Amino acid sequence: DAGVIQSPRHEVTEMGQEVTLRCKPISGHDYLFWYRQTMMRGLELLIYFNNNVPIDDSGMPEDRFSAKMPNASFSTLKIQPSEPRDSAVYFCASSFRDRYEQYFGPGTRLTVT
Amino acid sequence: RKEVEQDPGPFNVPEGATVAFNCTYSNSASQSFFWYRQDCRKEPKLLMSVYSSGNEDGRFTAQLNRASQYISLLIRDSKLSDSATYLCVVSPWGYKLSFGAGTTVTVRA
């Protein structure tokens, strides 16, 4: 079975540009999570969805970040405008209802110059 | 206080050795516990769930001590491929997971 799919795997952009990260969760999973990982702050939960509905976005750092889940098989995380401090690895994860373990995608390594 | 605290290590052990490390968690109402491993520049991968009675998966043994609020992981007969960062993960609020900063293990030949 395919795992969580993320694209792009690497993104290099200039400050001020819009960045869109994409995620396809494991088929049948009801929950989708967006994380950010840096050396300084470790793994941080940004937002999570249940059945395509955002449940908790308290981890979204500021208004420049937005996330959507238009259907059960696709989600986006958008940063507009991007800043150098947004440079990190962004992971998407999914889980099945009634199960708390999460399965991660390979991540998108974002560099903002 | 951090929700999950781990000794960052590194733990440097020879092949074949046993290595063990703990993590502590702050929320006594936490219900689910996991160990994930993360290789350099890769995603976290579920290693094992941790059950109240303790559980074993091959060379890996996990224990949970609710009274003292800590979780342990023991690796027997270490292999070079066990070199990784091990993340202690706790679910204090339903589907949200809290991740520790990780314990680095390096197994040398």
Side-chain angles (χ1 to χ4, degrees):
Chain A
D1 286 342
V4 176
I5 298 172
Q6 291 187 248
S7 65
R9 297 291 303 275
H10 301 272
E11 178 80 37
V12 180
T13 191
E14 292 184 348
M15 184 173 65
Q17 297 298 307
E18 177 179 296
V19 174
T20 299
L21 311 181
R22 297 173 175 79
C23 174
K24 176 179 169 55
I26 293 172
S27 178
H29 280 195
D30 304 277
Y31 287 82
L32 183 140
F33 305 81
W34 282 101
Y35 291 88
R36 176 172 68 177
Q37 187 174 38
T38 61
M39 289 291 291
M40 291 296 294
R41 300 174 67 91
L43 202 57
E44 303 174 279
L45 177 65
L46 300 177
I47 184 171
Y48 79 95
F49 296 82
N50 174 219
N51 291 326
N52 315 337
V53 176
I55 301 301
D56 186 341
D57 65 354
S58 59
M60 296 286 262
E62 47 198 276
D63 292 345
R64 297 184 298 107
F65 286 69
S66 63
K68 294 181 179 179
M69 192 165 185
N71 57 62
S73 58
F74 183 66
S75 178
T76 59
L77 178 67
K78 187 174 294 187
I79 308 172
Q80 166 63 20
S82 58
E83 296 182 3
R85 60 194 168 116
D86 301 331
S87 297
V89 181
Y90 291 81
F91 289 108
C92 176
S94 68
S95 68
F96 192 63
R97 63 179 177 276
D98 299 332
R99 301 298 299 261
Y100 294 146
E101 57 267 29
Q102 296 174 16
Y103 297 87
F104 284 73
T108 294
R109 187 169 297 275
L110 174 65
T111 302
V112 183
T113 61
Chain B
R1 182 184 174 188
K2 292 183 180 178
E3 292 164 4
V4 181
E5 301 214 41
Q6 295 185 247
D7 180 348
F11 289 76
N12 293 307
V13 299
E15 269 188 297
T18 295
V19 59
F21 41 90
N22 299 334
C23 82
T24 58
Y25 60 95
S26 60
N27 190 327
S28 60
S30 299
Q31 293 298 316
S32 298
F33 309 89
F34 309 96
W35 283 104
Y36 279 69
R37 71 169 278 167
Q38 186 172 24
D39 295 292
C40 187
R41 301 177 74 85
K42 294 290 185 72
E43 73 272 24
K45 291 186 177 178
L46 178 65
L47 179 66
M48 58 195 301
S49 301
V50 185
Y51 303 118
S52 296
S53 55
N55 49 299
E56 192 174 299
D57 183 359
R59 298 180 293 106
F60 297 83
T61 301
Q63 295 281 349
L64 169 64
N65 185 316
R66 286 188 182 272
S68 301
Q69 295 181 210
Y70 76 82
I71 307 156
S72 65
L73 182 66
L74 181 146
I75 308 173
R76 287 186 302 279
D77 188 24
S78 299
K79 312 291 185 190
L80 294 176
S81 58
D82 295 333
S83 297
T85 296
Y86 291 84
L87 305 175
C88 177
V89 184
V90 175
S91 172
W93 307 286
Y95 291 91
K96 289 178 69 171
L97 301 182
S98 293
F99 286 77
T103 297
T104 299
V105 173
T106 301
V107 182
R108 62 183 188 273

